[in-house]
Amino acid sequence: MALRCSTRTGLMLAPLLRDAAAFKPCVTMARRTARSLSMSASSGGPPKRPPEVQNPLPSLMHQSVLTTIGKTPLVKLQKMSPADIDIFVKCEAFNPMGSVKDRLAQGVIEWAEHHGEIKPGQTVVEASSGNTGIGLAMVCAVKGYPFVCVMAESFSIERRKLMRFLGAKVVLTNPAHKGSGMVIKAQELAEKHGWFLPRQFENEANAWIHSETTGPEIVEAMGGKQLDYFVSAYGTGGTLKGVATHLRDKSPNTKICVVEPDNAPLLYSEVKTSYDADGRFLEPHPLWRPHLLQGWATDFIPKLLNDATEKGLVDQVMHAAGSDAMARARDLAQKEGILTGTSGGGCMAAALQIAKTAPKGSTMVVMLADTGERYLSTPLFQDIPADMTEEEKELAASTPSTPPPPPA
């Protein structure tokens, strides 16, 4: 049956109907939508939205923002996936503070409360590149704990502003002291003032919350479909260890692929980090170099990450260049409408490399850790102008810019 719709509707749907062989899901959805729009257009009423373009989730009432953490969507890529490969992205930007670290923040505080490790009203202090700090600022605001974040001055300005907006204090450290210097400063402050230090890099609660939430969410969302690859970067190693632990149990054939910066190959080097009895690192890693992937690979191998590798939870180590991460983040935005940062872009770059040699019909899940809005002041957005481009000026000049009528 020929597709019939109004001229205006046809123009609206034309981009979706191109290249039907490559984008059959889009075409099917477009045809159904076209029928609905055509029928409503002929009747002169508003369009009837078909179920396949509506969010299936119920609208819920929450007693606290904390119960909105997790249950983030798994979204199938329509344009960036190679033929015969299904790539799904786990969009952690849908958490209330826009990153996967909201889970960590909730987990470490709940764990500390359950085990009596934190007192009512006690100040929480943690070293963070920003996302963990923002998550902890939210959780602490809800639960009534003052929060202090220790962060190197080199991380994006919007991160420190968001934390301060949430009522937190931000102590900046010398970027030359790297991530290890941030951790040392947080330990100093905790010992000096009697504050609670979550120790995100070695705290088992970090991995536990992902084995309780993120991992089961992925398995549930797959709905019994075979998952061949799971692709994730590492910061603390909590997401990797927690999700991989769950997948080893519920999806044992899934290959766990971890991504690190190409110029800071800490895992690939097989040079170990030494720890004290509490799991804290004793010295920085000799092969660490500054990189563009904020939140990835600090200058030591965290204890949680070391545990994951020692337990055989990592099947393949991949590498991503900062330039490739930024390019893939932009591709996700402009081709898929998904806004993520360099972390998600780096994971996506690695996933596309895996897809080149993956068997036909393979399925993978790629972690997108946060939102691109967290990177506005970073190199990710350095080519995005604030003022009108020449092309935009030409568009503006193409009509007379008639002023509105004066008030009566």
Side-chain angles (χ1 to χ4, degrees):
M1 180 183 295
L3 176 64
R4 303 177 68 180
C5 57
S6 66
T7 301
R8 182 179 180 184
T9 302
L11 291 173
M12 291 167 58
L13 296 172
L16 291 176
L17 296 173
R18 295 191 190 111
D19 201 0
F23 306 121
K24 289 181 181 178
C26 290
V27 173
T28 301
M29 182 181 295
R31 285 173 176 162
R32 292 173 181 168
T33 306
R35 293 191 189 101
S36 176
L37 293 174
S38 179
M39 287 186 293
S40 61
S42 63
S43 64
K48 296 179 180 178
R49 301 182 67 229
E52 60 267 20
V53 298
Q54 300 181 41
N55 190 332
L57 297 179
S59 182
L60 300 176
M61 179 184 292
H62 293 263
Q63 299 302 314
S64 165
V65 70
L66 299 184
T67 59
T68 70
I69 297 172
K71 298 295 178 68
T72 54
L74 202 60
V75 179
K76 184 178 181 179
L77 299 185
Q78 299 294 334
K79 298 178 182 177
M80 292 180 68
S81 296
D84 301 315
I85 302 290
D86 285 339
I87 299 180
F88 295 86
V89 290
K90 183 71 165 159
C91 297
E92 290 298 294
F94 281 72
N95 282 303
M97 290 296 109
S99 90
V100 68
K101 298 299 186 179
D102 291 359
R103 300 176 188 263
L104 181 163
Q106 185 178 38
V108 295
I109 296 299
E110 284 184 0
W111 183 284
E113 290 174 334
H114 178 75
H115 290 88
E117 298 171 356
I118 188 171
K119 301 174 184 177
Q122 185 178 10
T123 296
V124 177
V125 60
E126 184 58 287
S128 169
S129 64
N131 281 334
T132 295
I134 292 167
L136 280 170
M138 170 191 63
V139 173
C140 289
V142 173
K143 290 179 171 287
Y145 302 112
F147 175 60
V148 177
C149 180
V150 178
M151 185 171 72
E153 194 172 4
S154 55
F155 292 113
S156 68
I157 292 173
E158 47 268 35
R159 299 178 184 221
R160 66 181 85 157
K161 286 190 172 183
L162 281 169
M163 283 185 277
R164 287 170 175 149
F165 192 79
L166 287 161
K169 300 290 190 297
V170 181
V171 174
L172 299 176
T173 62
N174 188 336
H177 296 169
K178 302 172 286 189
S180 53
M182 291 162 44
V183 173
I184 291 170
K185 184 65 174 179
Q187 291 171 349
E188 291 175 349
L189 290 170
E191 293 169 3
K192 170 73 175 179
H193 301 287
W195 293 345
F196 173 68
L197 179 66
R199 300 180 297 108
Q200 63 167 324
F201 294 99
E202 60 266 13
N203 190 338
E204 192 58 39
N206 180 352
W208 163 78
I209 196 65
H210 290 290
S211 65
E212 290 288 313
T213 64
T214 320
E217 287 172 25
I218 292 171
V219 173
E220 180 184 7
M222 293 301 294
K225 183 179 177 67
Q226 171 64 32
L227 175 58
D228 299 295
Y229 300 92
F230 172 70
V231 184
S232 176
Y234 67 83
T236 63
T239 301
L240 174 68
K241 182 180 179 182
V243 174
T245 298
H246 186 80
L247 291 180
R248 281 287 191 260
D249 180 38
K250 302 299 182 181
S251 184
N253 294 323
T254 301
K255 190 173 185 178
I256 310 296
C257 305
V258 62
V259 194
E260 62 183 0
D262 66 344
N263 64 328
L266 275 61
L267 284 182
Y268 181 78
S269 72
E270 298 186 350
V271 176
K272 302 293 185 179
T273 293
S274 299
Y275 310 96
D276 65 15
D278 295 322
R280 291 176 290 193
F281 75 95
L282 295 177
E283 69 284 319
H285 199 282
L287 294 183
W288 185 87
R289 298 293 182 272
H291 53 79
L292 293 175
L293 297 140
Q294 292 195 22
W296 281 27
T298 189
D299 63 319
F300 57 91
I301 295 177
K303 183 65 165 58
L304 292 173
L305 178 63
N306 182 74
D307 290 347
T309 58
E310 292 292 327
K311 291 181 178 180
L313 297 178
V314 175
D315 296 310
Q316 184 176 3
V317 177
M318 305 285 295
H319 295 92
S323 57
D324 290 339
M326 292 190 292
R328 298 297 80 77
R330 182 174 292 194
D331 285 344
L332 282 165
Q334 297 182 357
K335 296 180 180 180
E336 303 284 352
I338 296 173
L339 184 61
T340 190
T342 48
S343 176
C347 287
M348 193 64 219
L352 292 175
Q353 286 297 317
I354 295 169
K356 290 180 179 179
T357 58
K360 289 185 178 181
S362 294
T363 300
M364 65 178 68
V365 167
V366 182
M367 288 295 294
L368 304 185
D370 63 4
T371 172
E373 289 186 346
R374 207 135 292 170
Y375 299 81
L376 296 175
S377 64
T378 74
L380 181 60
F381 280 80
Q382 67 182 359
D383 296 329
I384 307 299
D387 298 324
M388 282 198 294
T389 65
E390 291 304 315
E391 182 180 5
E392 291 165 343
K393 290 177 182 178
E394 289 180 10
L395 289 173
S398 66
T399 64
S401 297
T402 305

